[in-house]
Amino acid sequence: MKQQSDKQLVCASCSATYGCNDAHWRCSCGGILNLVWPAQFPKALIVKRKPNLWRYREALPIAHDEALVTFEEGYTPLLPLTISGLTVWCKHDYLFPTLSYKDRGATVLVSKLRELHLDRVVEDSSGNAGCAIAAYCARAEISCDIYVPASASQAKLEQIKAYGATLHVVPGSREATATAVLHAAATSYYASHSWNPFFFHGTKTIAYEIWEQLGWQIPDVVIVPVGNGTLLLGAALGFNDLVSAGEANRIPKLVGVQASACAPLFEAFHRGASSIAKGFQGKPTLAEGIAIAEPIRGKQILEAVRRSRGSILTVDEEQVLGELSWLARQGCYVEPTAAATIAGVRKYCEGVRDGEVIVTVLTGHGLKAAGKRSC
Ligand SMILES: *Cc1c(COP(=O)(O)O)cnc(C)c1O
Ligand SMILES: [Zn+2]
């Protein structure tokens, strides 16, 4: 459907390029790959399509429609919540097929796996990315091995197994899991949500949806949880696509929320550093979805936040618990990581002038962590 020039994967470290159909998840120098994909937005066609994220077909980096692996996911509701007296527009991204926004990335990445004719992949995750990759691989009949830390929520582990993935529970930290999967990735394709650029070209659809649902307008600020940055960098990518395509003349401020127990990005941001501290040690937090001590795209995240004139803020465990029950009383049953975001929104709202258009996202469903809320 699209003309493919052959060099679209670009290394962030050494600028080497690779073709889009080379099965590389990182550069031979060890660097991170970014995907350059010019997006187009034919609005007259978009509005006639079904309400799911593939309505932005011309912006998504899959050449062949036959390769698509989809449950017609996305185009989640954008609904107002009143927080600290302000209206905050909230994307209900816990309403995806696997109950977290990770399906945005999985539908695009697993479609790419199918386009590459891969039949076996590995992935690591604190839970939700593993669920999403496992579900989409099941639909694509691709076999997958998922590595998770032993501390992950039990419901997420059950869900991964139920999809037929081979589950590897790794004792120790989230970083120990990342090390174990890198070992496995030596002999299998690494369908990583943090390394693989195709994942980010799925999460970017949240920006397109916000733009369309606000009547083709760009909000003033978008507040998201941030660990590995799949959502934050996806949003940055998506809004930048809209600017490049001439559909918008600015991007919103991007504000990332971290748990104060594990906040390497917050620490580096406020230190004015361009990358996170080496060997950063995090403590356990209820917000397991963002408990990432060493985000591999840390530098990119800091750059994206600064370029948007946004910021990074932290919330503590008590605030997370408070928002968790507040959200449930609003009818929104979400997991603690999603509640952490709203704690961040409340903090942001305290210092803001009225009249800003504020958007945020509820990232994961409450049933995923039902046993954890009383910690
Ligand atoms: C993955 C996840 C996040 C954060 O994503 P990062 O890519 O680590 O920044 C937030 N909330 C939930 C529920 C998640 O699963
Ligand atoms: Zn390189």
Side-chain angles (χ1 to χ4, degrees):
M1 174 205 137
K2 236 176 210 190
Q3 278 295 97
Q4 292 207 39
S5 85
D6 61 336
K7 301 291 186 199
Q8 287 151 330
L9 293 170
V10 183
C11 175
S13 304
C14 76
S15 302
T17 58
Y18 298 88
C20 203
N21 290 321
D22 298 349
H24 287 288
W25 57 269
R26 72 173 165 191
C27 183
S28 56
C29 83
I32 294 162
L33 294 176
N34 293 315
L35 170 63
V36 179
W37 188 271
Q40 289 165 10
F41 302 92
K43 286 190 207 166
L45 290 176
I46 291 170
V47 296
K48 284 194 213 127
R49 293 179 180 149
K50 288 188 185 178
N52 67 71
L53 61 80
W54 288 97
R55 67 203 265 110
Y56 310 105
R57 183 68 185 90
E58 291 78 6
L60 299 175
I62 305 298
H64 308 99
D65 283 346
E66 313 83 71
L68 300 192
V69 182
T70 175
F71 294 96
E72 300 192 356
E73 57 289 286
Y75 211 74
T76 54
L78 179 72
L79 302 171
L81 267 179
T82 302
I83 298 177
S84 294
L86 300 179
T87 298
V88 173
W89 293 93
C90 194
K91 284 290 276 176
H92 286 235
D93 269 22
Y94 59 107
L95 302 177
F96 270 92
T98 79
L99 306 181
S100 89
Y101 80 87
K102 295 289 195 314
D103 294 2
R104 293 186 185 278
T107 185
V108 172
L109 175 53
V110 177
S111 295
K112 188 63 201 179
L113 302 178
R114 187 137 92 175
E115 205 163 58
L116 293 172
H117 305 292
L118 295 168
D119 57 8
R120 159 163 219 97
V121 299
V122 295
E123 156 73 321
D124 65 317
S125 155
S126 66
N128 285 335
C131 290
I133 296 294
Y136 284 80
C137 279
R139 190 157 177 83
E141 297 182 37
I142 293 171
S143 94
C144 68
D145 284 60
I146 308 282
Y147 291 72
V148 294
S151 59
S153 287
Q154 194 59 31
K156 296 178 185 175
L157 306 188
E158 296 299 334
Q159 193 181 351
I160 291 168
K161 275 194 283 189
Y163 291 129
T166 305
L167 185 68
H168 303 261
V169 178
V170 183
S173 66
R174 176 70 183 81
E175 281 61 44
T177 301
T179 306
V181 77
L182 278 175
H183 212 72
T187 52
S188 215
Y189 186 76
Y190 189 13
S192 169
H193 62 291
S194 48
W195 283 95
N196 203 301
F198 286 92
F199 197 90
F200 295 81
H201 281 258
T203 53
K204 72 180 181 181
T205 55
I206 193 168
Y208 307 161
E209 291 177 18
I210 291 168
W211 166 67
E212 182 174 355
Q213 289 171 316
L214 289 176
W216 316 106
Q217 299 295 315
I218 302 298
D220 295 302
V221 55
V222 174
I223 305 173
V224 297
V226 62
N228 272 314
T230 57
L231 196 51
L232 190 142
L233 289 173
L237 192 58
F239 285 116
N240 280 313
D241 279 351
L242 292 167
V243 172
S244 301
E247 298 292 345
N249 55 17
R250 64 185 175 92
I251 69 165
K253 284 187 282 182
L254 298 172
V255 174
V257 181
Q258 297 217 284
S260 50
C262 186
L265 293 161
F266 171 84
E267 191 273 331
F269 183 82
H270 292 280
R271 201 158 42 84
S274 66
S275 54
I276 55 161
K278 277 214 157 52
F280 186 92
Q281 297 284 329
K283 296 191 207 79
T285 164
L286 281 169
E288 64 181 9
I290 47 174
I292 307 291
E294 298 177 57
I296 62 138
R297 291 180 186 263
K299 213 171 158 174
Q300 273 181 14
I301 296 168
L302 292 166
E303 218 173 84
V305 170
R306 287 192 175 116
R307 222 182 273 158
S308 78
R309 301 173 325 283
S311 67
I312 298 179
L313 46 83
T314 55
V315 297
D316 61 35
E317 302 298 297
E318 218 162 292
Q319 290 172 309
V320 174
L321 283 171
E323 299 302 344
L324 200 54
S325 57
W326 181 78
L327 281 164
R329 298 308 175 91
Q330 312 304 306
C332 303
Y333 191 58
V334 297
E335 65 172 282
T337 310
T341 316
I342 300 306
V345 170
R346 201 175 297 279
K347 209 162 172 176
Y348 179 86
C349 286
E350 280 159 14
V352 87
R353 59 189 163 89
D354 200 3
E356 273 197 355
V357 178
I358 304 167
V359 175
T360 190
V361 52
L362 294 173
T363 47
H365 200 284
L367 291 175
K368 297 251 192 186
K372 284 213 162 180
R373 39 200 63 229
S374 57
C375 295

